Amino acid sequence: MKFRTSPDILPPRGHPAKRQSIIDAAAAVFCREGFAGANIDLVAAEAGVSRQTVYNHHGDKEKLFAAVVADITERCNARAFSVLSTFPDNPEDLEADLTVFAMRLNKSCIWGRDGRFLAKLIHAEGERHPELFETWRREGPGRVWSALAARFARLAFAGHLDIDDPDLAARQFLALVNVDLHIPWLFGETLSEEEQSASAARAVRTFLRAYGRKCEVAANALEEVHEA
Amino acid sequence: MKFRTSPDILPPRGHPAKRQSIIDAAAAVFCREGFAGANIDLVAAEAGVSRQTVYNHHGDKEKLFAAVVADITERCNARAFSVLSTFPDNPEDLEADLTVFAMRLNKSCIWGRDGRFLAKLIHAEGERHPELFETWRREGPGRVWSALAARFARLAFAGHLDIDDPDLAARQFLALVNVDLHIPWLFGETLSEEEQSASAARAVRTFLRAYGRKCEVAANALEEVHEA
DNA sequence: AACTTTTTAGACAGTCTTGTCTAATTCGTC
DNA sequence: GACGAATTAGACAAGACTGTCTAAAAAGTT
């Protein structure tokens, strides 16, 4: 209910393996039940640990929650950056390569455990406790997005794209990639591999219609117009 | 914890005004605190009503929650349809008209009380209790989106747009309109009027770059290419 | 093997919440 | 004003949960 004082995370004590297993279990429980509904006994049981050990490691429920957020944030950002490093800087077939990249992004950051958990935690507590997610905002959207924007800018500079505002293009790319995933995601449903790749392909196609090289767009358009 | 049996909503009893004020208060409390964290006494106090009256009207906490979901769903869909009726069917300046439409959509469905509440409720309970939101899925995305798609299809037929898959275009339009709003939305921040309109304008510009009439796109592109 | 740290099980007080019950009061309507 | 329905305040039992404490067991180290 408070988080008033700086929500320090307790310094590592005891065995790190248990510490991590507690955080993993707590993440699952907090996401399933919400902060108020989460039960420390359940966390302990799910972590295969006694309740007292949970308290030894993390002090109290709020500190445990803060530790979970920090942990998930870190892993999520790491994963995002790792996917980012597979961006097609020298594309052979830009549309195909971007589609593959979009699918990897989906798989890692949206359907992945960490991504889902982080999103749920933010939705549940972001409004009431924005402090907890400041790290994420700084490192996540703040850095990942601008890194993606830099990649797009490079593609544009190399003549593969026509982009005036790379940051905007990056955000719109991510939004388009999410279009078909959002609703199923909300209800815990999954998309088949084919659906995912079809969705990614549609997103990339639209993105390229908007940001593809002008002369190519012009050529394609003229061609189609002539046909009609 | 259950919602196992069909979560019937109690038939209206007592004074409708109080009934509604209870639902309004409950909506606010459920959204702030989550289902588990919500306190019936608090709902009663916020509604200006005694606890017993809450129970008289809505049976128990779960039925109250179901009633809140039903209420918000209905109002949210009504609002969406009402905004939809302002779609620019005979646009004078397509870009400007679509931008205004996008802003109205934002104002009504995203920043509005009902929209925020519904989104939070879905995020909090959608995975655990999808039954509760089936009405929304059927009437919301299912109907509003396809209505929007129909509007786009008409614009395309009239020669204002070049769209092969109107449903997809509608979904992508909504996604683009949301790009800049999502993060601030998560943390309860608001965007100034100017920021909102700038965001809407950017979304519409990209949308039209992707779906604008081919011959116009071609003309613009050729022009720019020639300049360079 | 001796010693220290960590973990465990369980009990425990204190708090909070839900949902029910009762008796008194107010409201709406005829 | 009189009557029945709706509302109120408050008490209440039953249960759940947090966070602490203790004594014993287990694990890890030298």
Side-chain angles (χ1 to χ4, degrees):
Chain A
M1 243 74 131
K2 291 105 228 173
F3 287 112
R4 275 191 294 256
T5 69
S6 76
D8 328 58
I9 294 157
L10 249 46
R13 295 257 234 120
H15 295 186
K18 302 222 162 184
R19 188 185 174 77
Q20 187 62 46
S21 82
I22 292 170
I23 289 195
D24 288 343
V29 174
F30 279 132
C31 289
R32 272 208 317 274
E33 323 278 351
F35 179 80
N39 180 320
I40 302 272
D41 286 328
L42 192 59
V43 171
E46 205 148 313
V49 142
S50 77
R51 178 182 44 239
Q52 187 59 41
T53 300
V54 176
Y55 282 102
N56 285 343
H57 277 277
H58 296 103
D60 67 15
K61 202 179 179 182
E62 296 186 0
K63 292 208 188 73
L64 176 59
F65 187 81
V68 167
V69 171
D71 183 76
I72 301 260
T73 297
E74 194 186 27
R75 284 201 291 187
C76 222
N77 282 337
R79 192 169 269 261
F81 269 108
S82 117
V83 172
L84 209 65
S85 74
T86 72
F87 186 88
D89 285 306
N90 300 308
E92 203 163 293
D93 176 342
L94 182 57
E95 183 159 349
D97 293 352
L98 270 184
T99 303
V100 170
F101 175 73
M103 274 200 68
R104 246 195 308 262
L105 213 56
N106 284 344
K107 262 235 152 61
S108 293
C109 298
I110 299 175
W111 295 112
R113 189 192 115 111
D114 295 334
R116 293 184 72 89
F117 282 4
L118 183 55
K120 288 206 87 173
L121 296 179
I122 292 176
H123 274 276
E125 304 294 330
E127 202 157 346
R128 249 185 318 172
H129 302 293
E131 338 71 85
L132 292 176
F133 302 97
E134 249 159 53
T135 307
W136 173 76
R137 291 184 79 171
R138 208 177 35 246
E139 310 280 316
R143 292 163 75 91
V144 177
W145 293 9
S146 63
L148 181 60
R151 304 293 187 128
F152 277 131
R154 216 180 305 170
L155 278 189
F157 186 76
H160 295 100
L161 290 173
D162 177 48
I163 293 178
D164 12 287
D165 182 343
D167 272 290
L168 176 64
R171 276 173 293 158
Q172 290 180 333
F173 179 79
L174 293 173
L176 288 173
V177 161
N178 258 296
V179 162
D180 297 315
L181 282 53
H182 192 216
I183 302 277
W185 184 94
L186 280 175
F187 295 99
E189 299 160 6
T190 58
L191 262 55
S192 73
E193 202 78 15
E194 292 79 30
E195 287 169 316
Q196 285 187 41
S197 90
S199 166
R202 287 193 295 268
V204 169
R205 175 139 27 100
T206 298
F207 182 79
L208 288 181
R209 278 175 74 151
Y211 288 113
R213 264 171 79 201
K214 283 253 168 64
C215 48
E216 277 178 22
V217 171
N220 289 339
L222 278 182
E223 194 175 321
E224 294 192 31
V225 168
H226 276 223
E227 280 170 11
Chain B
M1 244 77 130
K2 292 105 225 170
F3 287 111
R4 275 191 295 257
T5 70
S6 77
D8 329 59
I9 294 158
L10 250 46
R13 292 254 235 122
H15 294 189
K18 301 221 163 189
R19 189 184 174 76
Q20 187 61 45
S21 82
I22 291 169
I23 289 196
D24 288 342
V29 174
F30 278 131
C31 288
R32 271 209 316 274
E33 324 277 350
F35 178 80
N39 182 320
I40 303 272
D41 286 327
L42 192 59
V43 171
E46 206 148 312
V49 143
S50 77
R51 179 181 45 240
Q52 187 59 43
T53 301
V54 175
Y55 282 102
N56 285 343
H57 276 276
H58 296 103
D60 66 14
K61 201 179 178 181
E62 296 187 358
K63 292 208 186 73
L64 175 58
F65 187 81
V68 166
V69 171
D71 182 76
I72 300 260
T73 297
E74 194 186 26
R75 284 199 292 185
C76 221
N77 282 337
R79 192 169 270 262
F81 269 108
S82 117
V83 172
L84 209 65
S85 74
T86 72
F87 187 88
D89 285 307
N90 300 308
E92 204 163 291
D93 176 342
L94 182 57
E95 183 160 350
D97 292 353
L98 271 183
T99 302
V100 170
F101 175 73
M103 274 200 67
R104 246 194 309 262
L105 213 56
N106 284 343
K107 260 237 153 59
S108 292
C109 298
I110 300 175
W111 295 113
R113 189 192 115 111
D114 296 334
R116 294 183 70 89
F117 282 5
L118 183 55
K120 289 207 84 172
L121 296 178
I122 292 175
H123 274 275
E125 304 296 329
E127 201 157 347
R128 249 186 318 175
H129 302 294
E131 342 66 91
L132 292 176
F133 302 97
E134 249 159 52
T135 307
W136 173 76
R137 292 185 79 170
R138 207 175 38 247
E139 310 280 318
R143 292 164 74 91
V144 176
W145 293 9
S146 63
L148 180 60
R151 304 293 186 125
F152 277 131
R154 215 181 304 168
L155 278 188
F157 186 76
H160 294 103
L161 291 173
D162 177 48
I163 293 178
D164 12 289
D165 182 343
D167 271 291
L168 176 66
R171 277 174 293 156
Q172 291 180 333
F173 179 78
L174 294 173
L176 289 174
V177 162
N178 258 295
V179 162
D180 297 315
L181 283 53
H182 192 218
I183 302 277
W185 185 92
L186 280 174
F187 295 100
E189 299 159 7
T190 58
L191 261 56
S192 73
E193 201 78 15
E194 292 80 29
E195 288 169 317
Q196 285 187 42
S197 90
S199 166
R202 287 193 295 266
V204 169
R205 176 139 27 101
T206 298
F207 183 79
L208 289 182
R209 278 176 74 151
Y211 288 113
R213 264 170 79 200
K214 281 256 167 62
C215 48
E216 278 179 23
V217 170
N220 290 339
L222 278 182
E223 194 174 321
E224 295 193 29
V225 168
H226 277 222
E227 281 172 12

